[in-house]
Amino acid sequence: MPATAYVRETLSGWGRFPVEPAHVYRAEKRAELRELLASGAEPSYIARGLGRSYGDAALNAGGGVVRQTRLNRFLSFDPQTGILECEAGVSFAEIIRHFLPRGFFPPVTPGTQFVTVGGAIAADVHGKNHHRDGTLANFVTDLQLLTADGRVLHGSPSENADVFWATAGGMGLTGIILTARLRLRRVESAFLTVEYRRARCLDEALDVMAETDAGHQYSVAWVDCLATGASFGRSVVMQGDHAPAARLGKDPWKVRERRPVTLPLHLLAFALNKLSVAAFNALYCASHRDRAGQLVDYARFFYPLDAIRNWNRLYGRRGFVQYQVMFPPETARSSLSLLLRRLVQAGYAPYLAVLKRFGDRNQGLLSFPMKGITLALDIPVSRALVEVLSGCDSIVLDGGGRLYLAKDALMSGRTFAASYPRLEEFRQLKARLDPAGMLSSSLARRLGITGPGVASG
Ligand SMILES: Cc1cc2nc3c(=O)[nH]c(=O)nc-3n(C[C@H](O)[C@H](O)[C@H](O)COP(=O)(O)OP(=O)(O)OC[C@H]3O[C@@H](n4cnc5c(N)ncnc54)[C@H](O)[C@@H]3O)c2cc1C
């Protein structure tokens, strides 16, 4: 098939909002990507991995969307160092399937294994271990980047470091990541030892995490924002560490296989509502008593939502947004409390809320994490939501916080510019690598990262 062959599709991110028509290209070989960029077939292009960003980062209304999932070859692996070289379309699920039985695990992982290496680097993803290990970029030794003019640049923290730190977190706007080398983590089993602690409110969860996170590789809290009165913000703090082989029986890699279920359409028609979620939350809280040393397999610990393939459809026809905010330590408690109060008062209590503590920031120009607290909130889309969230954006700015681009669908360019202080450096580097603005996305234009004239129509 020629590099310029495309399919018309209606696309969205994981939140199913916004939904946009697209010309979708699917390269099978790296050379085809270069051919496509040189063809002039579209005014602009954006790479797309597995579409697990929530909003419009991997959409490009009026331009081309280039799927990377066929470019998914493993290229080399060194069992001494754990360094894996692969094409950027390889997914974390594929890495785990091949390398976990050999004693290696992704060093940083988001809450789903259905992301590509390219998508994960482009968002500079964080996991439950940011307080210890930082983002994925800390484990990328180097990468190959196809730029808009067809050059292939080698980037690493020591070679073309400016390009490397613009690409990690750069949401596909510096070029198409072709290959990367990642340092995998050596583990002794497919299990974690997990400690669960219940907290009566958000403040208590933050106290528990501040006191005990340093003793664990992974830490996260699930927060119930639908409970009312004194129970508002009750949480379950979950902290885990890779389990040593000695804790397991004969086969430390054997995990009971659970096939992900696909919810039938008639069930989806009932969509989630406050009552059903509040009931689920109460059950979840009651079933997680304080326990330590619990053995939990990696899939249940890291990827509980992957158990339902199409859970994103539960939010109904209009979809949902994930509002992931972070605040520095000085303002985190007061700003989070203000933000949640504002949402609840407006009738938008989040259905799902996940809390993590971030360690120090890295050099990524648009990387999201910096020292402080992050809370990710799932909220169904409705007409008034845009206005409510724009009120929340003021709380974010007043508290010196910011929103995560990989989840964002609604932020304004003004809020973005005010909260990402290295944006101008990013723009300058982009202008050098891509003067004609050939790499653009719906998110990039909405936020004014690339000019409005880049993609016409
Ligand atoms: C259930 C769930 C849980 C999540 N949990 C977390 C979490 O804990 N932490 C976290 O950080 N994120 C989390 N995410 C977000 C997710 O990790 C990121 O959005 C990630 O970028 C998705 O990867 P993808 O392959 O699906 O990329 P896509 O969504 O397809 O694309 C995302 C961005 O990457 C760019 N991109 C993709 N491939 C390439 C390439 N080859 N070269 C250059 N750019 C490219 C796209 O242009 C786009 O800007 C979660 C998402 C879901 C659905």
Side-chain angles (χ1 to χ4, degrees), residues 411-431:
M411 178 176 24
S412 70
R414 196 184 66 81
T415 300
F416 175 60
S419 51
Y420 279 79
R422 303 191 71 183
L423 172 60
E424 207 35 55
E425 275 174 78
F426 182 84
R427 281 206 184 105
Q428 282 170 16
L429 191 120
K430 172 143 177 79

Side-chain angles (χ1 to χ4, degrees), residues 229-249:
S231 299
F232 181 76
R234 65 183 166 184
S235 310
V236 179
V237 178
M238 293 166 254
Q239 293 166 314
D241 296 277
H242 290 284
R247 279 277 333 254
L248 281 302

Side-chain angles (χ1 to χ4, degrees), residues 194-201 204-216 218-223 233-241 284-285 287-294:
V194 183
E195 187 157 348
Y196 298 92
R197 278 178 244 232
R198 283 198 297 203
R200 278 166 301 189
C201 60
E204 194 176 306
L206 287 169
D207 287 340
V208 169
M209 291 170 93
E211 281 159 24
T212 55
D213 267 5
H216 298 279
Y218 303 102
S219 178
V220 63
W222 166 92
V223 184
R234 65 183 166 184
S235 310
V236 179
V237 178
M238 293 166 254
Q239 293 166 314
D241 296 277
Y284 188 88
C285 221
S287 65
H288 284 83
R289 304 200 166 282
D290 290 5
R291 279 171 296 175
Q294 194 84 10

Side-chain angles (χ1 to χ4, degrees), residues 14 46-54 57-58 68 88 110-112 114-116 118-120 122-123 125-126 171-172 175-177 305 311 356 404 406-407:
W14 188 245
I46 195 69
R48 182 175 173 101
L50 280 162
R52 259 39 179 209
S53 49
Y54 279 66
Q68 305 296 311
T112 171
F114 302 119
V115 297
T116 60
V125 296
H126 57 272
M171 303 310 287
I176 298 182
I177 302 165
L305 290 170
W311 68 264
K356 292 177 204 153
Y404 187 15
K407 309 288 179 71

